[in-house]
Amino acid sequence: MSTAVSPLAVPFPDMPPIAGVAFATAAAGIKYSDRRDVFLALFQPGTTVAGVFTRSKCPSAPVDWCRAALAGGSARALVVNSGNANAFTGRKGRATTEAQAALASAAAGCRPNEVFIASTGVIGEPLDPAKFAAVLPDAASRVAEGPWIDAARAIMTTDTFPKGATRTVTIGGVPVTINGIAKGAGMIAPDMATMLSFVATDAAIAAPALQALLSQGVQHSFNAVTVDSDTSTSDTLLLFATGRAAGAPAITDPTDPRLEAFRVALDEVLTDLAIQVARDGEGARKLLEVHVTGAASDESAKRVALSIANSPLVKTAAAGEDANWGRVVMAVGKAGEPADRDRLSIYFGDIRVAHEGERDPAYSEALASAYMKNDVIVIRADLALGNGKARVWTCDLTKEYVAINGDYRS
Amino acid sequence: MSTAVSPLAVPFPDMPPIAGVAFATAAAGIKYSDRRDVFLALFQPGTTVAGVFTRSKCPSAPVDWCRAALAGGSARALVVNSGNANAFTGRKGRATTEAQAALASAAAGCRPNEVFIASTGVIGEPLDPAKFAAVLPDAASRVAEGPWIDAARAIMTTDTFPKGATRTVTIGGVPVTINGIAKGAGMIAPDMATMLSFVATDAAIAAPALQALLSQGVQHSFNAVTVDSDTSTSDTLLLFATGRAAGAPAITDPTDPRLEAFRVALDEVLTDLAIQVARDGEGARKLLEVHVTGAASDESAKRVALSIANSPLVKTAAAGEDANWGRVVMAVGKAGEPADRDRLSIYFGDIRVAHEGERDPAYSEALASAYMKNDVIVIRADLALGNGKARVWTCDLTKEYVAINGDYRS
């Protein structure tokens, strides 16, 4: 496994405490030695929760657990581990989630269905609940309001840098903060992936409203990122609202106008984290931002954008710094969406390389090649059919991706 | 570009002449120097034709040409070139196909719509018709009944070995032969890819019946092969029937019982060629045969099989000789088809590694790892839900794939 940090890494931000959230990390020795691999967060009573999960038909045991627990709308504890996904582990897997919930509910003094669980790592290996029994009580005795970078590090698998984002805005004049962490970095595809992200705020928002905000926010952030088109069994995005910001108004309606800044900030946190996941795509050397404009609809634009972003030929061309727009045409064509070859234009950055069905007469190969040397490459396809548009992010496909995934288990 | 021959290459077969077919190859210098890059075939009057093409919404000019010409049902000439796909070339592209058809129809003494055209190679570069004017008249004067390997070589791009298949069977007691050639090797995905294949027989079969046979035969052959999920602008499979086998009965009904052996032989030729394309997948070191059984329907099984076969994580695991069945579970789950995690079994070859939702207790990692060292790996997923089944072929995903595609144009 590679140990070099992605050249696209961004610094971890300064993240302030969130009133009502305390956490600790621990080294349970689940797979990795010499590192902390468990993250335990405790939430004050009254914390609401929302979640979005993988669409896999073979979800992990923790995903099943969280989906069921979410119905209660209340959260008091979160237990996350890296190194083992507790997926495709049958009855043993369900027993492990029950044991994790029992341990955490004892520590937090809450009901088991107020405990949320996420696991990431190898699929199909039993996850021993004794590993949690050995560390959770002690971790619960050590919880503190920071540092968030420790939590971000504890949930990493093949990630090469910890991922965090934070925003502070006001709701009804009261400052509230949103902190989020995430891990990638392979098996990342729309509708989530082995992507775990945990976001907490001290705003006071009822669970149904929180869910509405999250479900909407995920569409243009985590659901617009793909690394390799593979969808994990374990994708989990949870949003916790403690309501502990002093004086924060209690919001129950997701369309409440007082939420305007909060909604924008939440979307920014989610998008920031999602792009960091693409920046840390396995083996990534370049971040690709794919814009599709002029599509028949926004939905059509997104399918075309994902077809481009998931194309191995587009991604390897980017790795080779090759302005191979013909492959972008191919990817537009294979999407199966309305497209007219003879109206299509393709841009790399501001350079229009193809226009109305053929190479742009003014196209400079030298300029386009120079552009491809950038770390961040914007590819735009304008279909010139309608007003639909979409933006998705991915990374290039390098030999390092193959190396990382060719010997992940060994 | 790699020049090493795929370790999965198979020998080119001895291919007998097809009565009514004569061909020649020529070096037109379209992209490659020092090799023949044009293939011209002439068919005797009365030759019928069937075709299947890419589903891309941005097809190449030759695909547009062939689709229109196919309506006539009659073929007298075929012009193929490698090195330039004449795709996304706008009005110039259409003009080039018209020029090619004029040259070939003059040589063959036929109507332009009896000429079929295919081009493979770089997208978006104008294809100069003068290249064909310079070689087609001479080629037409040199046509002969073989050797077929010359034709197979002339249509190669990143292929590392020429691909051919042949069968001889009887129709109504009369021996007839089917010869086919194909080229891959990247941008190969179901519903064809930059895959060109040309099949000829001396059987006498009316065009509509020929089309029915071809459309059916392609489902379990070329439409069951994927290299990288990318679909080309140029996929073309053409089947020509000269009717010149002495005494061959004229068949007009695709369900004619006299066609039984022919149908089987045609399917074998198509499947043989399709598997050769997977064997020559860019950078391939292993051939993967994916079987899905127990699915809700055959269609559902095929979607699950393609989800497995297109998964970069499954393909990189194969490259790493890693029996990572967890990724197969992931790929089953992401297909979106009916699947029950707790009934699923996964096999590598005859080794059952997972059963009823968890690792098979009898599973031997050592045996599975030894199996993964084979050149041909059979992955089976049994969903235990119904009787649907499907089989698809692909290859592993190696660093060489990235290298080949990272600097294809340069």
Side-chain angles (χ1 to χ4, degrees):
Chain A
M1 196 181 312
S2 174
T3 52
V5 172
S6 167
L8 307 170
V10 292
F12 198 85
D14 286 327
M15 287 175 48
I18 300 284
V21 180
F23 59 86
T25 58
I30 290 166
K31 172 190 160 100
Y32 308 109
S33 49
D34 302 325
R35 62 160 277 197
R36 289 173 286 179
D37 52 6
V38 168
F39 163 47
L40 170 70
L42 301 181
F43 306 103
Q44 288 296 309
T47 298
T48 59
V49 59
V52 179
F53 305 94
T54 180
R55 288 191 191 163
S56 172
K57 300 286 183 178
C58 299
S60 68
V63 166
D64 283 346
W65 175 273
C66 286
R67 281 205 171 102
L70 205 60
S74 169
R76 295 293 307 286
L78 169 67
V79 179
V80 188
N81 73 276
S82 55
N84 184 314
N86 193 15
F88 212 63
T89 42
R91 285 179 301 275
K92 288 191 202 79
R94 288 186 282 275
T96 295
T97 56
E98 285 159 17
Q100 290 170 298
L103 287 161
S105 67
C110 69
R111 300 190 307 274
N113 75 346
E114 293 175 304
V115 176
F116 289 78
I117 300 169
S119 297
T120 176
V122 170
I123 297 176
E125 302 288 332
L127 175 59
D128 182 2
K131 301 280 190 185
F132 296 88
V135 303
L136 285 187
D138 174 65
S141 73
R142 291 187 284 107
V143 296
E145 63 185 16
W148 281 83
I149 193 170
D150 284 2
R153 284 195 175 120
I155 65 175
M156 286 164 59
T157 54
T158 54
D159 303 68
T160 73
F161 65 93
K163 299 165 189 68
T166 184
R167 293 290 188 285
T168 297
V169 291
T170 60
I171 297 180
V174 175
V176 298
T177 295
I178 306 171
N179 279 358
I181 60 173
K183 61 83 55 181
M187 224 188 264
I188 303 296
D191 309 323
M192 321 276 291
T194 297
M195 200 290 305
L196 301 184
S197 183
F198 308 103
V199 181
T201 178
D202 49 5
I205 303 175
L210 202 63
Q211 184 67 49
L213 290 168
L214 185 66
S215 296
Q216 186 179 44
V218 81
Q219 294 309 327
H220 301 288
S221 57
F222 284 110
N223 279 357
V225 172
T226 179
V227 166
D228 55 16
S229 81
D230 276 340
T231 301
S232 138
T233 55
S234 307
D235 306 332
T236 299
L237 166 59
L238 294 168
L239 170 59
F240 303 93
T242 66
R244 296 291 169 133
I251 307 279
T252 55
D253 177 359
T255 65
D256 189 318
R258 289 173 294 176
L259 279 179
E260 189 47 37
F262 182 89
R263 182 197 316 276
V264 169
L266 176 63
D267 289 355
E268 285 175 358
V269 165
L270 296 176
T271 302
D272 189 341
L273 291 172
I275 293 176
Q276 288 187 52
V277 167
R279 283 179 172 271
D280 204 10
E282 288 172 341
R285 293 292 173 272
K286 292 181 188 296
L287 176 69
L288 310 184
E289 190 173 310
V290 178
H291 291 217
V292 171
T293 53
S297 68
D298 286 354
E299 295 69 28
S300 180
K302 192 164 181 183
R303 283 188 283 269
V304 174
L306 287 170
S307 178
I308 298 169
N310 277 324
S311 162
L313 289 170
V314 170
K315 291 154 68 80
T316 49
E321 301 187 338
D322 177 5
N324 195 323
W325 56 270
R327 296 184 183 171
V328 180
V329 175
M330 176 280 300
V332 170
K334 83 164 180 171
E337 294 296 314
D340 179 343
R341 183 184 58 197
D342 296 340
R343 302 180 78 167
L344 185 59
S345 296
I346 309 285
Y347 299 75
F348 288 103
D350 293 331
I351 305 163
R352 190 174 72 185
V353 292
H355 184 54
E356 292 182 352
E358 52 192 308
R359 189 168 59 185
D360 192 320
Y363 160 59
S364 154
E365 175 91 21
L367 274 181
S369 294
Y371 178 75
M372 296 302 288
K373 297 193 186 306
N374 289 317
D375 281 352
V376 180
I377 293 173
V378 179
I379 299 173
R380 181 155 80 89
D382 182 48
L383 308 189
L385 293 178
N387 296 316
K389 61 185 197 308
R391 190 167 54 156
V392 308
W393 295 269
T394 188
C395 58
D396 56 346
L397 172 57
T398 66
K399 294 179 192 175
E400 187 68 9
Y401 175 88
V402 178
I404 291 167
N405 286 298
D407 44 46
Y408 177 68
R409 291 204 319 169
S410 50
Chain B
M1 198 180 310
S2 173
T3 52
V5 173
S6 167
L8 306 171
V10 292
F12 197 83
D14 285 328
M15 287 175 49
I18 301 284
V21 180
F23 59 86
T25 58
I30 290 165
K31 174 190 158 100
Y32 308 109
S33 49
D34 302 325
R35 63 161 276 197
R36 287 173 287 180
D37 52 5
V38 167
F39 163 47
L40 170 70
L42 301 182
F43 307 103
Q44 289 295 310
T47 297
T48 58
V49 59
V52 180
F53 305 93
T54 180
R55 290 193 191 161
S56 172
K57 299 287 183 181
C58 298
S60 67
V63 167
D64 283 347
W65 176 272
C66 286
R67 281 205 171 102
L70 206 59
S74 169
R76 294 293 310 283
L78 169 66
V79 180
V80 188
N81 74 274
S82 54
N84 185 314
N86 193 14
F88 212 64
T89 42
R91 283 178 302 275
K92 289 191 202 77
R94 288 186 283 276
T96 295
T97 56
E98 284 158 18
Q100 289 170 298
L103 287 161
S105 66
C110 68
R111 299 191 307 275
N113 75 347
E114 293 176 303
V115 176
F116 289 78
I117 300 168
S119 298
T120 175
V122 170
I123 298 175
E125 302 289 332
L127 174 61
D128 182 2
K131 301 280 190 185
F132 296 88
V135 301
L136 286 187
D138 175 65
S141 73
R142 291 188 286 106
V143 295
E145 62 186 16
W148 281 82
I149 193 169
D150 284 2
R153 283 195 176 121
I155 66 174
M156 286 165 58
T157 54
T158 56
D159 303 67
T160 72
F161 64 92
K163 299 166 188 69
T166 183
R167 293 290 187 285
T168 297
V169 291
T170 60
I171 297 180
V174 175
V176 298
T177 296
I178 306 171
N179 278 358
I181 60 172
K183 61 83 55 180
M187 222 189 262
I188 303 296
D191 308 323
M192 320 277 292
T194 295
M195 199 290 305
L196 301 185
S197 182
F198 309 103
V199 181
T201 178
D202 48 5
I205 303 174
L210 202 65
Q211 184 68 47
L213 290 168
L214 184 66
S215 296
Q216 185 179 43
V218 80
Q219 294 309 325
H220 301 288
S221 57
F222 284 111
N223 279 356
V225 172
T226 178
V227 167
D228 54 15
S229 82
D230 275 342
T231 301
S232 139
T233 55
S234 307
D235 306 333
T236 298
L237 166 59
L238 293 168
L239 169 59
F240 303 93
T242 66
R244 296 291 170 134
I251 307 278
T252 55
D253 177 359
T255 65
D256 190 316
R258 290 174 294 176
L259 279 179
E260 187 48 37
F262 182 88
R263 183 198 316 278
V264 170
L266 177 63
D267 289 356
E268 285 176 358
V269 165
L270 297 175
T271 302
D272 188 341
L273 292 172
I275 292 175
Q276 288 188 52
V277 168
R279 283 179 172 270
D280 206 10
E282 287 171 342
R285 292 292 173 271
K286 292 180 190 294
L287 176 69
L288 310 184
E289 189 174 310
V290 178
H291 291 217
V292 171
T293 54
S297 68
D298 287 354
E299 295 69 29
S300 180
K302 191 161 180 186
R303 283 189 283 268
V304 174
L306 286 170
S307 178
I308 297 169
N310 276 324
S311 162
L313 289 170
V314 170
K315 291 153 69 76
T316 49
E321 301 187 338
D322 177 5
N324 195 323
W325 56 270
R327 295 185 184 172
V328 180
V329 175
M330 174 282 299
V332 171
K334 83 166 178 170
E337 294 296 315
D340 179 343
R341 181 184 62 198
D342 296 340
R343 302 180 78 168
L344 185 58
S345 296
I346 309 285
Y347 299 75
F348 288 103
D350 294 330
I351 305 164
R352 191 174 69 184
V353 293
H355 185 54
E356 292 184 350
E358 51 191 308
R359 187 169 61 186
D360 192 320
Y363 160 59
S364 155
E365 174 92 20
L367 275 182
S369 292
Y371 178 76
M372 297 301 288
K373 297 193 186 307
N374 289 317
D375 280 352
V376 180
I377 294 174
V378 179
I379 300 173
R380 182 156 78 90
D382 182 50
L383 308 188
L385 292 179
N387 295 316
K389 61 185 197 306
R391 191 166 55 153
V392 307
W393 294 271
T394 188
C395 57
D396 56 346
L397 173 57
T398 67
K399 293 178 191 176
E400 188 66 9
Y401 174 89
V402 178
I404 291 167
N405 286 299
D407 44 45
Y408 178 68
R409 290 204 319 168
S410 51

